[in-house]
Amino acid sequence: MKILDLSAGNRAVWFDKNYRDVVFVDIRPVGPSVVADSRSLPFAAGTYDLVVFDPPHVNFSAGAELSKTYGHHTTEEIRTLIRETGQEAYRVTRRDALMAFKWNDHDQKLSKVLALMAAWWEPLFGHKTAMRTKHASATTWVMLRRVTNA
């Protein structure tokens, strides 16, 4: 199985941070296998079976501590990144590929974000993994399947 992690960062979601079947991609030079923009990948069409995608979730202010680590993105930039990455992930995956997608709905509801990729990816199932009460939000992992007739 060939796996593509499109927002690898420090590989925080991985038990084995050097798993042999994964190509770790990030636009930031923080330790990925490949430094690249997830909206324009240097891979051939139909290469991968599984994509892991954990995009920016929150529109922090430009001076916020988390913006120093993850970069500052406006809400519209986040939406554009998700839409364009979803399309590019479709291009580089095989017919029955899956996408493990992580989202925190602090700024944008999960349903609206999934709709951005609906032309290429359909949600199969998901699970909330964390709830916050101070700033009401939930983090959810969703498994999506590549649309076969897109």
Side-chain angles (χ1 to χ4, degrees):
M1 172 179 282
K2 295 185 82 172
I3 305 168
L4 180 62
D5 186 335
L6 290 176
S7 44
N10 64 2
R11 306 176 189 192
V13 302
W14 292 91
F15 292 111
D16 180 348
K17 297 187 185 315
N18 296 300
Y19 192 74
R20 68 186 177 280
D21 296 330
V22 182
V23 174
F24 297 97
V25 175
D26 205 295
I27 197 165
R28 302 166 295 145
V30 291
S33 311
V34 176
V35 176
D37 187 326
S38 61
R39 298 167 291 185
S40 180
L41 297 166
F43 308 119
T47 302
Y48 293 94
D49 303 294
L50 173 64
V51 172
V52 178
F53 187 28
D54 179 7
H57 309 296
V58 179
N59 178 8
F60 298 110
S61 68
E65 283 301 312
L66 287 172
S67 292
K68 293 175 186 172
T69 302
Y70 297 106
H72 172 68
H73 307 278
T74 67
T75 299
E76 191 52 43
E77 287 170 342
I78 292 169
R79 293 175 63 77
T80 299
L81 174 73
I82 291 167
R83 184 175 40 258
E84 292 177 1
T85 297
Q87 184 174 17
E88 183 67 350
Y90 180 89
R91 182 188 70 79
V92 300
T93 52
R94 295 188 176 124
R95 180 175 169 84
D96 287 324
L98 297 172
M99 177 189 287
F101 181 75
K102 180 183 169 203
W103 186 250
N104 179 281
D105 66 1
H106 183 271
D107 282 348
Q108 301 179 63
K109 295 297 176 200
L110 177 63
S111 59
K112 289 189 175 204
V113 171
L114 292 176
L116 297 170
M117 298 187 293
W120 310 286
W121 298 93
E122 61 182 337
L124 298 175
F125 57 88
H127 181 70
K128 288 184 181 177
T129 58
M131 296 287 294
R132 295 180 122 184
T133 54
K134 183 177 179 184
H135 303 285
S137 66
T139 298
T140 304
W141 277 94
V142 178
M143 184 63 68
L144 300 113
R145 182 176 181 210
R146 188 179 189 270
V147 174
T148 57
N149 59 351

